[in-house]
Structure formats: structure tokens, C-alpha cells
Amino acid sequence: MGIIGLDTSGSGIGIPETMRERALAANALLHSREGAGSDFLGWVHLPSSIGDLELAAIGASAARLRAAAEVIVCVGIGGSYLGTRAVLEALSDPFRLLHRTQEGPVMVFAGQNLSEDYACELLDALEERSFAVIVISKSGTTTEPAIAFRVLKAALERRYGREGAAARIAAVTDRERGALRTLADEEGYPTFVIPDDVGGRFSVLTPVGLLPLAAAGVDIAALVRGARDMERATAPDVPFDRNPAAVYAAVRNLLYEQGRKIEILGSYEPKLQYVSEWWKQLYGESEGKEGKGIFPASVTYTADLHSMGQYIQQGERTLFETIVSVDEPQRRLTLGAEAKDLDGLNFLAGRRLSDIGRMAELGVRIAHLDGDVPNLRIVLERIDAYHVGALLYFFEKACGISGYLLGVNPFDQPGVEDYKRNMFALLGKPGYEEASEAIRARL
Ligand code: PA5
């Protein structure tokens, strides 16, 4: 297997020569920058273009924040949030908050909702802790993170004064444009730039993801190394069968053409739940347009076998499943035997939990195949920074290829603007007077 494995044997799809050629052509188009959305293809070569100096600058800023705070609040939404959260959750102990001693600061998130309760409870929690803030917004004007940052900045300034607050803030935003850029320059916050040619959902390997991840203690060099190796493994000169991104993109498009309109990304590892959330944005925003696109859904097994399992097994046959399967857990736990077998589990005594989980996974796969759910498997050797970096780039590359195969521009998101216009009109934002009248007439 390569850096990650891809098993399409359960998809029921034979890939015709024409599709192989189309997928390779789509990949070449990404590299030649001659396809739709070509102004937003900076992510294609990001892993190989991040230099040691850039990583060191990010590391230094992250170290400063780590030294200043017990809690780092990471503020952002969508592409300026999900990648960081995906990597952090994948690589973290889910019970870290219960540990008596913390190694470095805890990272929490804000700016990804407009909940008043969430904001108040966060402020309450920060009362007892020293904290720092990383604020991330490419446009610098997105409402949710801007509001959260205003609230957190005020809390920091009350506690540490204006200068003390500035020493505990870092901003990631556009080189020149946007309110966050103006604010950061005015207040003297250290800033990192999101390249113009990288869209939000493809930005996890820019400072958008790398700064907060370094601040949370993630080995970002290993993350980038994994992505870099995957960049090579999916380069345009790699033959179709050896390029997992091209194969995945081809198979999912062939399934879509056969009426499989929903793809469920699943895993048996709860740590990967936010990778699924990130993936949903990546594929949903990239492909869902012009009345087309596979609807991306997600499940975490075995929990969701007890909620979604029935539908997947016997509901409408318009879905297929892609399982991210992990070969080796990091830890080891073997089930013990008991003198009296009251719970009836002695037949499992001596077996590792991962071994029992593998049987569950296999059993589900066979059941779903019997239930006419085409199945793809992406195999990760283990969950570490290197393999997660490779997985992220794999999904990005496959998404670009897949969007071109579908015949859409995978790098814009015109539909996301519609709700914003209505919300601004309803809130009375200057410049939205006309829209405000129109929308009020409909209420
Ligand atoms: O992918 C996208 O472009 C969006 O999800 C954005 O990342 C999200 O809306 C946040 O935008 P910004 O970083 O400009 O605040």
C-alpha cells in the first residue's frame, strides 16, 4: 500500500478507459492552471512550497502564545476553522481536559456560531484561566468570527490592558484587504497571510491551520511532510492506477452517474469525526452547484450503526459509503476473562479491542454490500501527523479532480453569499438598504 491505501473492490465499479483518461486530464488541468477557478489553485503545490523558514516563523509565534496562556481560543468559521479542528481532534486525547497536569495550553474554538450561551459560557470558563486568541479570517469581514473576536478582544483588554492583549493575539488574514487586516495593523498584532490563490476550504496547510495547530502542540512539520509525499503520489505523471486521488474521484463520479447521489464518509475511530466535518465542507462547497453534486454525509461507527444503521442498510438505494479505516491503534487494550462469565463476554477474552472492532467493520461491510451499498475503503496505517497530512491532501486533490469530472468550478461558492445578504439586510448593515426593503416586504 502507498502512503494511504484505497480499496474500491466493494464499489462494484469497473473504471472504463475513458474515465481513466478524463481523471488524468482533470489532474493535469489542476496543475496547468487552465481549468475553471484557476485563480484558486495555490493549494496544489502548497505542501512542497512551504519552506523551513515559514514553518520556523509559525513555530516561533505559536511558542509565544503557548508560553502566555493556559487556553488558546481559535476564532474562525468554515475553511478558517474546520481543518484545524479536524487535525487537532484526530491527534488529541479526547479526555485531555480531565488530565490533572496539562502539557501546554488547551485549545478551544469560537466564532463558528452565533450562540449567546456559547459565548457567555466561554467567557465564564476563561475567567479562571490565562488565555490568548488566534483570529482567522481570509476576508476579514465574516460576521461570526468578527463578533467573537470583538467579545474576546474586549475581555483580553479588560484583563491585560491594550498592550498586554496585543501580546496575546495573533491574526491570520489577507495580505492587504479586510477589516481584520486594518484592525491588526492598527493594534500591532502579529499577522500571518493567507495566500490570495488558496480558498478557505483548501487552506488548512497555510497559516490558517498551521499556526493554531503549532500552538496546540501538533508536529506541523510532520503534517506538511505527509501532505508533501501525497502531493508527489498524486502528481500528473503518476499513472492512473497508482494515483489514489484520481481513482477515488473517478469511482465516486461513476457511482454518481449510476444514481448514487449521497456519499457517506464513515470511520470507526471517533477521533476522525471532525475530519468528516472538514471533508463535508470540502466536497459540499466544491461540488454542490448548478443543480449537481454528491451530497456529502458522515457517520462515526459503531455509534451510528445504532442510529443510522437501519437507513443505510435498507433505506433508499441512492447512497454509497466511503470508510476511512485505521490499521493500527496507538494504544493497546486486551479484554480480560472473568471467573463467572455473567456478561457472556468470555468468548472475547484475550482479544484486543481493535481486533473486535475489525470484526465489526468487516461484518458491517459485508452487510452493507449485501444491502446494495457500494463501499470504498481508504486505509490509514495509523493516525499521526504524517498520515493525517497525507489524508488531507489526498482529499483535496481528489476533490479538485472530482469537481472537474462533474463539470463544475470546484473553487467557488456563489451560493454561500445568499444567506449573508439576507442576514445583513435584516440586521441593517450599511450598504444593504435596498436588500433590506426587499426582504422586509416578504416578511
Ligand atoms: O471555504 C470558504 O471559503 C468558506 O467556508 C470560508 O472559509 C468561511 O466562510 C470563512 O471565511 P473567512 O475566512 O473569510 O472568514
Side-chain angles (χ1 to χ4, degrees):
M1 138 174 146
I3 311 162
I4 64 169
L6 176 66
D7 173 7
T8 63
S9 60
S11 69
I13 292 287
I15 309 173
E17 192 50 38
T18 45
M19 179 51 97
R20 291 163 181 263
E21 283 165 12
R22 284 177 59 210
L24 287 182
N27 193 24
L29 207 53
L30 290 172
H31 285 262
S32 67
R33 292 189 176 231
E34 284 166 1
S38 56
D39 287 348
F40 290 96
L41 286 167
W43 59 271
V44 173
H45 294 296
L46 255 183
S48 59
S49 59
I50 300 170
D52 291 346
L53 278 180
E54 197 178 341
L55 287 179
I58 290 171
S61 194
R64 184 179 58 84
L65 295 169
R66 279 171 74 75
E70 293 166 279
V71 180
I72 296 177
V73 187
C74 187
V75 178
I77 195 167
S80 293
Y81 157 65
L82 284 165
T84 301
R85 183 123 198 208
V87 177
L88 188 65
E89 300 288 340
L91 300 178
S92 298
D93 174 345
F95 304 107
R96 58 195 179 276
L97 296 181
L98 299 181
H99 291 185
R100 284 191 202 289
T101 50
Q102 299 288 341
E103 271 181 40
V106 170
M107 178 160 285
V108 297
F109 294 88
Q112 82 284 30
N113 61 58
L114 286 170
S115 163
E116 195 161 343
D117 287 347
Y118 187 97
C120 291
E121 284 160 9
L122 173 59
L123 289 176
D124 287 351
L126 295 173
E127 278 294 318
E128 303 290 316
R129 307 275 185 192
S130 57
F131 71 101
V133 175
I134 299 175
V135 54
I136 307 166
S137 177
K138 185 174 184 196
S139 63
T141 55
T142 306
T143 312
E144 295 92 330
I147 289 174
F149 184 58
R150 181 181 274 218
V151 170
L152 288 162
K153 173 175 168 288
L156 273 176
E157 287 178 351
R158 273 195 303 277
R159 174 109 48 105
Y160 303 107
R162 204 163 151 200
E163 264 184 36
R168 289 170 174 77
I169 292 173
V172 184
T173 191
D174 186 80
R175 196 180 306 278
E176 314 184 313
R177 283 165 304 187
L180 180 58
R181 166 54 65 189
T182 312
L183 176 64
D185 288 347
E186 184 79 16
E187 300 286 345
Y189 304 150
T191 58
F192 288 87
V193 169
I194 307 174
D196 280 348
D197 58 357
V198 180
R201 57 190 173 276
F202 289 86
S203 68
V204 58
L205 296 168
T206 72
V208 167
L210 298 180
L211 177 65
L213 287 169
V218 169
D219 181 353
I220 56 169
L223 188 81
V224 170
R225 221 173 22 252
R228 195 175 294 158
D229 286 352
M230 186 53 75
E231 183 186 323
R232 274 192 217 110
T234 60
D237 57 348
V238 176
F240 178 83
D241 287 312
R242 297 226 305 273
N243 180 336
V247 175
Y248 174 53
V251 172
R252 64 196 297 285
N253 272 274
L254 289 165
L255 285 164
Y256 180 65
E257 285 167 16
Q258 292 181 2
R260 303 288 170 168
K261 308 272 185 202
I262 300 166
E263 178 176 10
I264 302 177
L265 188 74
S267 170
Y268 288 75
E269 178 47 71
K271 287 181 174 191
L272 295 181
Q273 190 180 335
Y274 270 89
V275 169
S276 300
E277 296 302 320
W278 168 84
W279 171 90
K280 283 195 280 196
Q281 185 203 357
L282 183 66
Y283 281 78
E285 272 189 4
S286 299
E287 296 193 319
K289 49 196 73 157
E290 298 173 32
K292 296 193 265 193
I294 296 171
F295 182 84
S298 67
V299 290
T300 301
Y301 293 150
T302 59
D304 286 330
L305 290 172
H306 300 260
S307 58
M308 298 297 289
Q310 171 59 36
Y311 189 100
I312 295 170
Q313 188 70 42
Q314 293 183 332
E316 274 217 52
R317 301 297 76 188
T318 49
L319 46 85
F320 67 99
E321 196 172 43
T322 300
I323 297 294
V324 180
S325 195
V326 182
D327 259 357
E328 262 309 305
Q330 310 280 22
R331 307 286 296 272
R332 212 183 162 85
L333 182 64
T334 303
L335 208 65
E338 294 201 354
K340 275 194 182 172
D341 189 19
L342 293 176
D343 56 10
L345 287 180
N346 269 358
F347 76 103
L348 294 174
R351 295 182 78 164
R352 288 179 66 184
L353 252 64
S354 54
D355 174 31
I356 299 168
R358 252 191 290 278
M359 293 309 111
E361 189 171 334
L362 190 56
V364 172
R365 181 171 150 87
I366 293 167
H368 286 182
L369 287 175
D370 289 347
D372 187 22
V373 182
N375 187 295
L376 284 76
R377 270 178 80 237
I378 293 165
V379 185
L380 275 194
E381 202 176 304
R382 70 181 77 87
I383 302 180
D384 58 14
Y386 175 84
H387 287 92
V388 171
L391 183 68
L392 296 178
Y393 188 87
F394 158 77
F395 275 136
E396 289 181 351
K397 191 54 158 330
C399 183
I401 297 173
S402 187
Y404 280 168
L405 288 176
L406 186 65
V408 298
N409 173 0
F411 308 113
D412 65 1
Q413 55 284 327
V416 179
E417 298 309 313
D418 291 3
Y419 95 90
K420 289 187 190 165
R421 187 189 51 243
N422 295 346
M423 181 176 78
F424 291 152
L426 288 164
L427 286 169
K429 184 171 176 170
Y432 286 80
E433 292 77 7
E434 212 174 298
S436 176
E437 267 175 43
I439 201 161
R440 280 178 201 286
R442 292 174 55 187
L443 296 180

